[in-house]
Amino acid sequence: MTRKLSEETVNAIIYGIHAEPFDVLGLHKVEDGGVVIRSFQPHASAVELIDKKGASVELKRIHKAGLFEVFLPDRKPFHYTLKITGDKGHVWETEDPYRFPFQLTDFDLHLHGEGTHFRTYKKMGAHLITVDGVEGVHFAVWAPNALRVSVIGFFNQWDGRHHPMHRRDSSGIWELFLPGLTKGDLYKFEVKGPMDYLAQKSDPYAFYNELRPKSASVVWDAEAYEWQDKAWMNKRRKASTEMDVPVSIYEVHLGSWRRVAHEDNRWMTYRELADWLLPYVKNLGFTHIELLPISEHPFDGSWGYQTIGYYAPTSRFGNPDDFKYFVDRCHQEGIGVILDWVPAHFPKDGHGLAYFDGTNLYEHADPRKGEHKDWGTLIFNYGRNEVRSFLMSNAVYWADYYHIDGFRVDAVASMLYLDYSRKEGEWIPNQFGGRENLEAVDFIKKFNEVIHAEYPGIMTFAEESTAWPMVSRPTYLGGLGFGLKWNMGWMHDILEYITKDPIHRKYHHNAVTFSLIYAFTENFILPFSHDEVVHGKKSMLDKMPGDVWQKFANLRLLLAFMYAHPGKKLLFMGTEIGQWTEWNCHESMDWHLLKYEPHQKLQYFLGKLNTIYKRNQPLYEVDFAWDGFEWIDLHDSENSTISFLRKAKNARHIVVCIFNFTPVVREQYRVGVPYEGVYTQILNSDHTSFGGSGVGVYEESVHTEPVAWNSHQYSLAISLPPLGAVYFQYYADPPIDLASVPEREGRLDAPAADAGGGSEPDEVASAGAVSDDSEKTVRPLDVDQA
């Protein structure tokens, strides 16, 4: 290069608009021989160069703004450091960032621009690395329309003039290696864009962020944690899909499951939650925990659904290693972890993705495609390759670095339809004139293809409420590729039905039976989620009609119906203890309710229900085909009763499920069954140990009678309890060896803890939530502090 800089180049450096500072700063060979070293230090009074031998030479100030230069004739490129004297006399020695080579390869840039780099988190953002024997942090960010991007932090007084990054050709990616930085250092990107745009942005790929309202990113080593869940991961990798196994999910908002009341009502940390939440969930018999979004978000009231830091677990509960510890502990205890993932939209906060480089980069420019007015959020531009890489890599990242077992994808309907929640004239049709968002459809399919191919055994769920076909069918058959779809229709119908006074239910009988018309068109999961206990909808218990006893009976009946109905299960926290109030994300669950017998017994009921579900193959093995279900009687609307069979893969292994949606006892209620023999009652929701009246409890087996009924040759005559559900199991030929089943497992028994009113609060905290392995009672919290 020529030795002398043009005035235009000098001005571009000092005014912070030079996109390729490596062409100017650092060490450069000169055409006529020798080298020139330049450094821009706006707060320095003097700059010296020191070589390996300790020899020093002072750089000359060539511009009063702080541009320094020295020409060394007859020298070849060499290792050097800079000794800088600040304008207040402070002296420090540092490596020159502009002497180090670029770290991103042309292939990295190509894949990112093509939208096929599915592990961009290994290249973008901030990474602790060693270059030429020097430790530091490599930064990379995508901002194609920026005039200049700088790394800022305490290390340079948050002054964007100090460390401008270099734009890598037409890729739009800027990079810089800063020696001397280490884990825990705070940083942001200062982005100077067109039209005098200047903003300080959090790193879109940051592994860790400050706690709101602060918004700086934090340098972190994302690969340092030593996992102890090898057995779980190997088992998951070799396991079949989620089709023929029990899936019972406990949906949790970590910020409000339980708080530490005696410490200013603070949140529990990830590590505390591992000690408290995990044994609670395990002893209630759930197979998975689903976490409302835990990626970093600025507004508590968004519940995590307005994400800023897609690659950072929220710092509300600890650091990234703390969250890995939580997942690790879950896996060691046999509990899967599902993340609520939000690739549909993002908030407008100034430090986030919105208008990132002074243009609509991650979002569409036209608000008819780029904005959700209902939510006040922006919509990703799925047609832009780099945005697809960002989102695809994010899913892979959580599976790779955090061993996540599944993704519940939020607001899928809003992604699929261009006219979602829009009036005529407020949306733009696709190129074929339709309302389908073709770019989003393609992204969803690719997400499912990649995540299932890279991580066998992982689960994907769609929160999708429309009639879009084949949501949970493979992409090679024309589907979207999800493993499961939320059954919103079933959820709305059954809640509308169960909240009616029983005297009116016979006029709405179709609400209970209609779901079976479409039950096997998708692989459904049955959700009673957080959305059903907020915004004036009442808690699950308070939705129920009748007096207090009837409310509890109705809720037990509803849960028993849910667990018998085809489909996997999901239940939001608080339902299991009979929460009276709606969920409040700013408050702990009402753990004090467990001082009272009805709430203890409801919790115990759910624990037993999960145990029965997991121990009886007919209830889960064939959830998505008619082979696993058969109506016995769906027409008894006058009595508001229904009955059906659930079948295992072995069709002679069945569970007879009977439901009475009225408070009237049905004596000698006859139900047709397909096989002659012995039927064992494995559940009666009216059992006294659950808070019921004890009607229709059969400690001994029930024998069939040769009375044809409901199109079957044999039948059972039973007492059907009020607002009750009963399950009877028929053991296949050859019969199951009961000696091989743990004592009383899957059968009716009483809570391990005394359910009477004389119990002390700390003795009834979990009310006998029964483990698969023992009958011990676990006390997951001190109710006096909850």
Side-chain angles (χ1 to χ4, degrees):
M1 66 177 298
T2 59
R3 178 182 168 187
K4 184 172 178 59
L5 298 176
S6 68
E7 182 179 355
E8 180 182 6
T9 299
V10 171
N11 287 336
I13 290 292
I14 65 175
Y15 291 117
I17 56 174
H18 202 300
E20 298 171 338
F22 275 78
D23 292 350
V24 179
L25 304 177
L27 184 151
H28 298 273
K29 292 181 180 179
V30 178
E31 292 177 351
D32 298 333
V35 295
V36 62
I37 297 100
R38 301 189 188 93
S39 181
F40 181 54
Q41 303 292 339
H43 296 292
S45 60
V47 178
E48 290 181 68
L49 180 149
I50 303 174
D51 65 15
K52 273 187 172 182
K53 297 179 180 180
S56 65
V57 60
E58 186 170 351
L59 277 69
K60 178 182 178 183
R61 184 189 294 268
I62 62 173
H63 195 282
K64 62 181 180 180
L67 184 59
F68 294 82
E69 175 187 277
V70 64
F71 172 64
L72 301 176
D74 303 321
R75 289 293 300 266
K76 295 181 179 179
F78 61 96
H79 183 117
Y80 65 92
T81 58
L82 298 174
K83 183 178 180 182
I84 301 170
T85 302
D87 50 14
K88 295 183 179 181
H90 178 62
V91 179
W92 68 95
E93 188 172 335
T94 182
E95 296 280 354
D96 184 357
Y98 299 96
R99 79 168 183 84
F100 294 93
F102 296 132
Q103 300 302 304
L104 298 180
T105 67
D106 290 341
F107 191 50
D108 290 326
L109 304 180
H110 169 76
L111 292 178
H112 183 263
E114 190 179 57
T116 56
H117 201 315
F118 299 146
R119 284 181 167 79
T120 53
Y121 55 88
K122 290 182 176 289
K123 301 294 182 178
M124 305 293 286
H127 292 269
L128 292 159
I129 63 172
T130 301
V131 182
D132 294 344
V134 178
E135 295 180 348
V137 178
H138 177 259
F139 296 92
V141 65
W142 179 59
N145 301 300
L147 301 177
R148 185 257 299 165
V149 180
S150 299
V151 185
I152 57 174
F154 286 115
F155 46 86
N156 59 18
Q157 294 80 51
W158 300 93
D159 187 340
R161 295 175 297 169
H162 274 281
H163 294 117
M165 305 174 77
H166 192 92
R167 183 174 62 197
R168 294 295 306 275
D169 304 322
S170 61
S171 69
I173 292 178
W174 304 69
E175 73 168 303
L176 180 66
F177 172 70
L178 287 184
L181 297 191
T182 187
K183 177 181 175 180
D185 282 336
L186 303 180
Y187 71 98
K188 280 189 174 183
F189 295 120
E190 184 176 275
V191 182
K192 188 178 183 68
M195 303 297 291
D196 296 325
Y197 177 82
L198 185 67
Q200 293 185 355
K201 293 288 190 177
S202 299
D203 181 1
Y205 285 89
F207 298 139
Y208 187 25
N209 283 320
E210 285 188 294
L211 177 63
R212 56 94 182 104
K214 296 179 180 179
S215 57
S217 300
V218 184
V219 175
W220 198 260
D221 186 350
E223 299 184 75
Y225 183 83
E226 295 184 6
W227 288 88
Q228 306 296 321
D229 65 345
K230 184 177 181 180
W232 169 274
M233 297 299 287
N234 287 339
K235 180 180 178 181
R236 192 189 78 182
R237 197 175 297 114
K238 297 174 183 177
S240 62
T241 65
E242 64 270 19
M243 299 301 106
D244 62 353
V245 296
V247 175
S248 178
I249 303 168
Y250 188 68
E251 188 187 30
V252 181
H253 178 259
L254 292 182
S256 57
W257 179 75
R258 184 198 177 206
R259 294 197 175 197
V260 184
H262 62 282
E263 295 182 19
D264 199 25
N265 203 37
R266 69 166 174 83
W267 299 301
M268 298 190 85
T269 66
Y270 290 122
R271 290 178 182 264
E272 288 173 329
L273 286 161
D275 291 335
W276 290 82
L277 173 61
L278 178 55
Y280 179 81
V281 169
K282 183 178 180 181
N283 282 289
L284 278 177
F286 289 97
T287 63
H288 294 76
I289 295 172
E290 180 180 314
L291 305 177
L292 268 66
I294 54 88
S295 47
E296 196 59 81
H297 51 282
F299 177 45
D300 293 355
S302 75
W303 311 335
Y305 288 97
Q306 295 189 11
T307 290
I308 288 288
Y310 273 81
Y311 288 79
T314 179
S315 55
R316 288 166 173 81
F317 317 119
N319 63 46
D321 285 354
D322 294 332
F323 181 59
K324 289 179 181 179
Y325 174 84
F326 173 83
V327 177
D328 202 357
R329 283 281 305 277
C330 287
H331 288 172
Q332 292 172 45
E333 296 295 336
I335 302 294
V337 180
I338 299 163
L339 284 192
D340 213 331
W341 188 51
V342 192
H345 60 115
F346 58 93
K348 299 177 180 178
D349 297 69
H351 63 283
L353 299 177
Y355 214 62
F356 190 82
D357 64 355
T359 68
N360 301 103
L361 187 62
Y362 286 88
E363 70 274 21
H364 287 279
D366 192 322
R368 292 176 295 174
K369 290 188 72 175
E371 184 176 2
H372 276 306
K373 292 187 177 180
D374 290 351
W375 302 330
T377 55
L378 301 174
I379 302 170
F380 283 105
N381 183 348
Y382 305 103
R384 181 164 280 166
N385 289 342
E386 296 88 349
V387 173
R388 292 164 63 90
S389 269
F390 173 79
L391 291 172
M392 282 296 312
S393 294
N394 185 239
V396 173
Y397 164 80
W398 288 108
D400 183 9
Y401 280 6
Y402 288 88
H403 294 195
I404 294 303
D405 302 294
F407 296 92
R408 179 263 193 186
V409 182
D410 180 63
V412 172
S414 74
M415 300 170 68
L416 295 176
Y417 296 100
L418 295 166
D419 63 345
Y420 181 85
S421 193
R422 297 177 188 273
K423 299 176 182 177
E424 187 175 350
E426 294 181 347
W427 60 283
I428 303 174
N430 62 37
Q431 59 264 45
F432 303 109
R435 65 191 187 112
E436 299 81 9
N437 188 334
L438 301 180
E439 292 89 354
V441 171
D442 185 64
F443 164 74
I444 289 171
K445 289 182 176 181
K446 181 60 71 173
F447 153 73
N448 278 303
E449 289 171 355
V450 169
I451 206 71
H452 286 299
E454 294 289 328
Y455 299 96
I458 207 165
M459 298 190 290
T460 61
F461 310 73
E463 187 219 5
E464 205 286 314
S465 55
T466 74
W468 189 284
M470 303 179 71
V471 172
S472 57
R473 296 293 180 263
T475 57
Y476 61 80
L477 295 178
L480 293 181
F482 286 101
L484 294 161
K485 173 182 174 176
W486 275 28
N487 195 334
M488 309 291 278
W490 170 86
M491 181 269 296
H492 284 297
D493 285 348
I494 193 60
L495 286 182
E496 183 178 0
Y497 175 83
I498 201 72
T499 55
K500 295 184 182 298
D501 190 295
I503 199 171
H504 301 302
R505 287 175 179 169
K506 63 182 179 180
Y507 304 111
H508 304 275
H509 197 68
N510 64 305
V512 187
T513 60
F514 181 72
S515 61
L516 269 299
I517 292 177
Y518 60 86
F520 309 116
T521 59
E522 299 278 4
N523 301 331
F524 282 120
I525 184 167
L526 310 179
F528 288 139
S529 74
H530 63 279
D531 283 325
E532 309 317 313
V533 292
V534 289
H535 303 322
K537 296 179 183 178
K538 298 184 179 181
S539 71
M540 292 296 288
L541 180 61
D542 201 26
K543 292 178 194 287
M544 303 298 113
D547 58 24
V548 172
W549 187 93
Q550 290 184 353
K551 284 179 179 292
F552 278 93
N554 271 300
L555 184 53
R556 293 193 303 271
L557 171 60
L558 174 63
L559 293 172
F561 178 67
M562 172 194 188
Y563 273 73
H565 192 286
K568 307 309 180 185
K569 325 300 176 187
L570 180 142
L571 193 67
F572 184 58
M573 66 182 200
T575 301
E576 79 280 7
I577 66 170
Q579 188 110 349
W580 285 109
T581 59
E582 289 187 351
W583 169 52
N584 182 346
C585 69
H586 303 293
E587 299 290 339
S588 171
M589 282 169 51
D590 292 336
W591 294 105
H592 65 277
L593 293 174
L594 289 175
K595 296 178 181 179
Y596 306 107
E597 182 177 325
H599 298 274
Q600 300 169 24
K601 290 187 173 183
L602 177 63
Q603 186 192 50
Y604 175 69
F605 169 74
L606 185 65
K608 293 305 294 182
L609 189 58
N610 269 321
T611 298
I612 291 164
Y613 169 66
K614 292 189 297 182
R615 291 293 183 181
N616 290 276
Q617 292 92 334
L619 295 176
Y620 63 79
E621 271 194 346
V622 190
D623 265 329
F624 309 123
W626 279 107
D627 295 343
F629 179 91
E630 181 184 325
W631 281 113
I632 297 174
D633 188 357
L634 74 162
H635 298 298
D636 191 7
S637 58
E638 188 62 30
N639 290 318
S640 295
T641 66
I642 62 169
S643 52
F644 53 77
L645 302 176
R646 291 303 310 278
K647 304 177 184 178
K649 291 180 178 178
N650 171 6
R652 290 181 62 84
H653 187 188
I654 62 174
V655 173
V656 179
C657 306
I658 313 165
F659 305 90
N660 178 11
F661 290 97
T662 72
V664 179
V665 177
R666 309 291 177 184
E667 298 289 358
Q668 290 298 300
Y669 191 83
R670 191 166 293 277
V671 179
V673 292
Y675 307 119
E676 180 183 17
V678 174
Y679 287 72
T680 303
Q681 188 178 79
I682 57 174
L683 177 74
N684 184 329
S685 68
D686 196 47
H687 195 283
T688 55
S689 67
F690 303 146
S693 58
V695 172
V697 175
Y698 294 90
E699 297 293 350
E700 303 299 329
S701 300
V702 179
H703 292 262
T704 57
E705 298 177 6
V707 178
W709 207 262
N710 303 130
S711 302
H712 290 292
Q713 186 176 355
Y714 306 99
S715 59
L716 303 173
I718 63 169
S719 294
L720 190 57
L723 297 174
V726 292
Y727 299 171
F728 288 90
Q729 181 173 216
Y730 175 81
Y731 292 126
D733 293 327
I736 293 175
D737 180 9
L738 294 180
S740 68
V741 180
E743 183 179 358
R744 307 292 294 174
E745 189 65 76
R747 302 288 299 277
L748 298 174
D749 56 356
D754 179 10
S759 299
E760 292 297 324
D762 64 346
E763 292 177 343
V764 297
S766 70
V770 179
S771 164
D772 286 344
D773 301 318
S774 71
E775 292 288 324
K776 68 179 181 180
T777 298
V778 173
R779 298 192 296 273
L781 53 87
D782 182 345
V783 294
D784 289 333
Q785 295 179 3

